[in-house]
Amino acid sequence: MARFLLTLFVIVFAGMSPAKAQQTFFVQIEAQPSLAQAQASIQRFLSRVQDVNGFDLGNGWFGIALGPYAEEQANSILINLQGARLIPQDSYVEPSSRYVRQFWPVGANLLSTNTVAASTQAAQQNSNTPSAAEETTLPSDETIAQARASEARLTKEERGALQEALQWAGFYNGKIDASFGRGTRNSMSRWQDANRFEPTGVLTTKQRAELFRQFNAVLEGLELRDSIDTAAGISMKLPLGVVAFENYDPPFAHYNSSGNLNARVLLISQTGDSGTLRGLYEVMQTLAIVPPEGDRSISSEEFTLFGANADLTSFTQASLEDGEIKGFSLIWPTGDEERRTRLLNEMRISFSRVEGVLDPNSNANAAESIDLISGLLVRKPIKSRSGFYVDGNGTVVTTAQAIGECKRVTIDEFHEAEVVLVDKDSDVAVLKPKSKLSPLDVATFQSLIPRLNSEIAVSGYSYGGLLGAPTLTFGSVADTRGLNGEPSFNRLALNALEGDAGGPVLDNSGAVIGMLLTEKSDGRKLPDEVSFSLNADAISSVLTDRGFDVTSTETREAIPAERLSDRASGITVLVGCWD
């Protein structure tokens, strides 16, 4: 098939205006750093295409090229052979002046003049086209018998790929089984008719090349090439027209955008076990490159992560074999779905493991950042506030301001939560975890009115979760009413931070006397050491009115500072608001 295909291309374009004898061109398909490697590559290509030549490129490199042709012939052959997947996608046209000398075929010198005409004449003599009386001939193409003969030489994989291309084009909706039954033949006829070919139900070599050209057109410009990252121990196709290697930051090899397209590829490579695999799975879901909306799956041996938002679409796969975790991520702009899907399929099919795994110390001297994991930005909420558990089911109370305009709410970063109640009058919001949680402790509300000037402590994530645990800020009760005499407020002598809002206010017995409120934006700036809380009675009323059970106490017996700290830490949570 391949030999006839190239012969056919030469015949088709033989009638074009001839190029000047000295102006010859070749289709450069590969370059190797040694003569032995180049000779081995030539043997591979000889079984697929004809007019294979080997040239010294200079500087220790040796090229494999098809030709010689006139320039227009070379460009057309390049497109059709790429479409038929007979030569690499990064092949290109080169003038004969690029080559130093010819080493294959032995004794040949196609760099001399008049070679284009000789090649065309030889191709015509070797076409072996049957006479018109033998059977019907399609214009400027194979006969039906020739088409069937070339089709019979297709491998099972090539036949399946042809069905996939017909399916992509919208003409085939059957099973990809590499069997050309009635459904496949009918789809071929419909495709031929739509593309102004005679609808015979048998695609000629030229027609298959055109179908694959259409199929692969979406990948043009990506320069999809077979690549081996020896440090990561991964071989696969990479879109090197839009991404380029930047650095290693274990467990990732970073291939970042090299142009205007916001695309990137990560190669994943590290040693480990099933626990390491699960840890990687959890960590990657905190990254900005993995949007939270999308399908996830994990087993003891592999995981996949899919995420998409308005800006990017991300796919990650990784698997564990022989103590090594390897995989990749493709991050692509949202809206370019056809190209992304085709590219992802090519990458997944071509992915294979080779010897080696990324050295965990390969980037030991790189500057670290609290917002980065292995050079990747950690996804952050648009705001973080505090809250506290009020029952054993993981129900959380926080300030309504903490969850305003949030598309997604989390408890302690990883647990998705549902907003079940917002009481704007009291500024109370109630959250229910979407998966079961078992709190270390739950709030006990103080039924007694707090004494003036009694010591209190606010437990909260003062710095938005930066420290990883709540902090205690100590102060005292300045008044049991608001500035305007509101009975549901307590005024506190306490210097709180924005992240503390929604956190519990505790007396020295560990009972909750209120919830810290945010400063109201009414144009007045309060002194630094003035804060307000909604009192325990108001919070309890909101909860009990909606059917929640609360625990209360009338005990004021002080507990040791360590126990107070443990109790505060056990009930306080970080509330995240995400866009």
Side-chain angles (χ1 to χ4, degrees):
M1 178 193 74
R3 180 172 295 276
F4 182 82
L5 173 62
L6 194 51
T7 301
L8 175 64
F9 291 155
V10 175
I11 293 173
V12 171
F13 291 102
M16 297 183 176
S17 299
K20 293 182 180 180
Q22 70 273 20
Q23 190 68 6
T24 59
F25 292 83
F26 291 83
V27 177
Q28 173 78 33
I29 58 177
E30 198 170 270
Q32 294 290 349
S34 74
L35 181 59
Q37 289 172 286
Q39 289 172 329
S41 290
I42 285 172
Q43 296 305 314
R44 283 192 297 108
F45 283 109
L46 283 173
S47 64
R48 298 162 59 183
V49 292
Q50 70 172 38
D51 290 346
V52 180
N53 305 284
F55 296 104
D56 185 348
L57 302 177
N59 298 319
W61 284 86
F62 300 87
I64 297 90
L66 309 180
Y69 312 116
E71 184 174 14
E72 192 169 358
Q73 282 179 280
N75 284 313
S76 296
I77 289 171
L78 170 71
I79 293 172
N80 285 280
L81 289 182
Q82 284 177 327
R85 300 183 178 182
L86 293 174
I87 61 174
Q89 292 298 309
D90 57 352
S91 301
Y92 55 93
V93 172
E94 281 275 45
S96 59
S97 58
R98 171 68 178 84
Y99 305 110
V100 177
R101 64 179 179 83
Q102 187 166 6
F103 67 84
W104 179 272
V106 178
N109 183 16
L110 295 180
L111 302 180
S112 61
T113 59
N114 297 319
T115 53
V116 171
S119 176
T120 302
Q121 184 178 7
Q124 289 173 314
Q125 292 172 349
N126 293 326
S127 62
N128 295 321
T129 304
S131 64
E134 187 173 335
E135 59 179 83
T136 303
T137 303
L138 302 180
S140 300
D141 207 345
E142 298 170 334
T143 64
I144 295 178
Q146 287 175 324
R148 289 189 182 277
S150 64
E151 181 185 86
R153 292 191 290 271
L154 296 177
T155 65
K156 181 178 180 181
E157 290 74 18
E158 289 170 334
R159 294 167 74 90
L162 193 62
Q163 288 178 320
E164 288 181 9
L166 288 165
Q167 187 179 73
W168 165 85
F171 295 93
Y172 179 68
N173 58 7
K175 183 180 179 181
I176 306 299
D177 56 7
S179 176
F180 290 177
R182 179 179 298 178
T184 304
R185 293 298 178 195
N186 288 340
S187 71
M188 289 180 180
S189 292
R190 291 193 296 272
W191 180 87
Q192 288 172 318
D193 189 51
N195 287 271
R196 299 183 180 180
F197 293 111
E198 184 178 347
T200 64
V202 182
L203 298 185
T204 66
T205 303
K206 176 181 177 181
Q207 291 166 5
R208 291 198 299 271
E210 172 59 18
L211 173 59
F212 280 117
R213 186 199 66 76
Q214 295 172 6
F215 182 64
N216 290 318
V218 70
L219 299 178
E220 289 179 5
L222 298 185
E223 296 183 33
L224 195 59
R225 303 179 197 171
D226 291 315
S227 305
I228 300 178
D229 192 310
T230 54
I234 291 173
S235 173
M236 67 184 304
K237 288 183 177 180
L238 294 175
L240 297 180
V242 293
V243 300
F245 173 77
E246 184 159 310
N247 69 300
Y248 295 113
D249 204 337
F252 305 117
H254 293 257
Y255 289 76
N256 291 340
S257 174
S258 58
N260 296 326
L261 188 68
N262 186 23
R264 64 195 306 183
V265 173
L266 300 176
L267 301 186
I268 302 169
S269 176
Q270 69 175 128
T271 57
D273 54 20
S274 58
T276 312
L277 183 75
R278 177 165 286 278
L280 178 64
Y281 172 78
E282 296 293 348
V283 167
M284 291 206 67
Q285 294 184 75
T286 71
L287 301 179
I289 61 166
V290 183
E293 299 83 10
D295 295 332
R296 281 104 165 92
S297 66
I298 185 169
S299 69
S300 61
E301 297 179 346
E302 63 183 0
F303 72 75
T304 59
L305 288 169
F306 174 79
N309 59 26
D311 299 316
L312 63 89
T313 299
S314 170
F315 175 86
T316 300
Q317 69 174 38
S319 60
L320 172 65
E321 290 183 16
D322 300 324
E324 294 180 346
I325 298 169
K326 293 184 179 182
F328 74 94
S329 294
L330 173 65
I331 300 93
W332 204 257
T334 295
D336 191 12
E337 188 61 15
E338 181 180 351
R339 187 160 59 157
R340 185 196 70 83
T341 302
R342 287 287 313 286
L343 171 61
L344 177 60
N345 186 55
E346 294 286 341
M347 293 174 69
R348 295 183 72 175
I349 291 172
S350 66
F351 181 89
S352 65
R353 295 163 175 257
V354 297
E355 184 178 356
V357 67
L358 204 56
D359 180 359
N361 299 313
S362 58
N363 200 28
N365 296 322
E368 296 184 0
S369 168
I370 193 75
D371 294 330
L372 298 178
I373 295 178
S374 299
L376 297 172
L377 189 65
V378 177
R379 190 169 62 251
K380 293 287 186 180
I382 56 177
K383 60 182 174 182
S384 296
R385 298 294 184 264
S386 301
F388 55 99
Y389 290 118
V390 294
D391 64 26
N393 296 319
T395 304
V396 169
V397 164
T398 187
T399 171
Q401 185 273 341
I403 51 87
E405 300 179 357
C406 303
K407 293 182 180 178
R408 189 169 67 95
V409 177
T410 57
I411 298 171
D412 288 341
E413 294 188 298
F414 300 111
H415 306 291
E416 299 279 340
E418 178 185 2
V419 180
V420 295
L421 170 64
V422 176
D423 189 303
K424 293 183 178 180
D425 292 335
S426 63
D427 199 23
V428 169
V430 179
L431 313 178
K432 293 280 287 185
K434 292 184 178 180
S435 57
K436 186 177 180 180
L437 291 180
S438 299
L440 294 176
D441 206 343
V442 298
T444 298
F445 290 96
Q446 180 60 263
S447 298
L448 302 176
I449 297 174
R451 298 190 181 107
L452 295 181
N453 299 318
S454 60
E455 293 182 352
I456 51 93
V458 170
S459 179
Y461 285 83
S462 308
Y463 303 97
L466 192 63
L467 298 181
T471 57
L472 284 179
T473 304
F474 294 93
S476 61
V477 177
D479 198 346
T480 55
R481 292 178 178 273
L483 290 177
N484 298 313
E486 300 93 335
S488 59
F489 290 166
N490 291 327
R491 178 161 59 89
L492 311 176
L494 176 135
N495 192 5
L497 297 179
E498 189 174 47
D500 293 316
V505 182
L506 301 99
D507 63 16
N508 58 11
S509 74
V512 173
I513 67 167
M515 176 185 73
L516 190 71
L517 299 173
T518 55
E519 185 175 331
K520 293 186 177 181
S521 56
D522 56 3
R524 293 178 295 177
K525 176 64 179 175
L526 296 174
D528 288 340
E529 292 193 359
V530 175
S531 298
F532 289 90
S533 67
L534 185 69
N535 66 31
D537 184 58
I539 301 170
S540 298
S541 296
V542 170
L543 292 172
T544 55
D545 287 349
R546 270 74 171 188
F548 293 98
D549 293 326
V550 298
T551 303
S552 60
T553 183
E554 294 185 353
T555 300
R556 280 185 169 146
E557 183 178 352
I559 59 176
E562 310 86 65
R563 283 186 57 197
L564 179 64
S565 178
D566 289 344
R567 182 160 178 72
S569 179
I571 68 173
T572 308
V573 301
L574 177 67
V575 176
C577 174
W578 305 79
D579 60 12

